[in-house]
Amino acid sequence: QVQLVESGGGLVQPGGSLRLSCRVSISMYSINTFNWYRQAPGKERELVATLISGGSTNYANSVKGRFTISADIAKNMVYLQMNSLTVEDTAVYYCNVDQLVAGSRYYYWGQGTQVTVSS
């Protein structure tokens, strides 16, 4: 069974930093994109950052220049480095991957990790 397990969330003051981690239980080489989403209370889930298997990245405008997505293939880990956090970054953050197998795509989600930015 495919598992994505996030960690690293917590309470941080505005201007602070956190690094989220996501352990992936499947072959990283079978993954087409690595993604981080977030969902704030009362809001829809939004895509925050994408790392495509070729190495290119995309970010939501709201986090550009502050967040960095990366992956360590050898460790089966995906990361989201978050700097200069603001209260608007408060949300549950989810790791997501899409796997390409024999021409079919499969999407997997982690359980989420809470990030709270507050003074």
Side-chain angles (χ1 to χ4, degrees):
Q1 183 176 354
V2 177
Q3 284 190 316
L4 277 65
V5 181
E6 300 101 333
S7 61
L11 175 63
V12 62
Q13 291 187 340
S17 298
L18 280 177
R19 188 177 81 153
L20 305 183
S21 300
C22 174
R23 182 172 297 280
V24 181
S25 69
I26 57 175
S27 168
M28 300 282 272
Y29 294 102
S30 68
I31 296 173
N32 185 50
T33 64
F34 305 87
N35 308 289
W36 285 96
Y37 285 77
R38 68 185 181 187
Q39 187 166 21
K43 294 188 177 181
E44 293 187 355
R45 191 171 296 190
E46 65 168 337
L47 178 60
V48 173
T50 294
L51 172 62
I52 301 171
S53 58
S56 59
T57 56
N58 291 304
Y59 297 93
N61 286 335
S62 59
V63 307
K64 237 175 239 183
R66 301 188 298 122
F67 289 13
T68 303
I69 185 172
S70 62
D72 187 328
I73 302 298
K75 294 183 178 179
N76 272 56
M77 297 292 292
V78 185
Y79 304 102
L80 184 68
Q81 178 66 45
M82 306 186 294
N83 300 326
S84 302
L85 286 161
T86 73
V87 294
E88 287 75 30
D89 295 316
T90 295
V92 178
Y93 284 72
Y94 297 91
C95 179
N96 163 270
V97 301
D98 83 89
Q99 182 188 37
L100 190 60
V101 178
S104 295
R105 286 189 186 275
Y106 301 89
Y107 299 88
Y108 301 104
W109 293 88
Q111 82 288 352
T113 186
Q114 176 70 46
V115 171
T116 301
V117 185
S118 175
S119 56

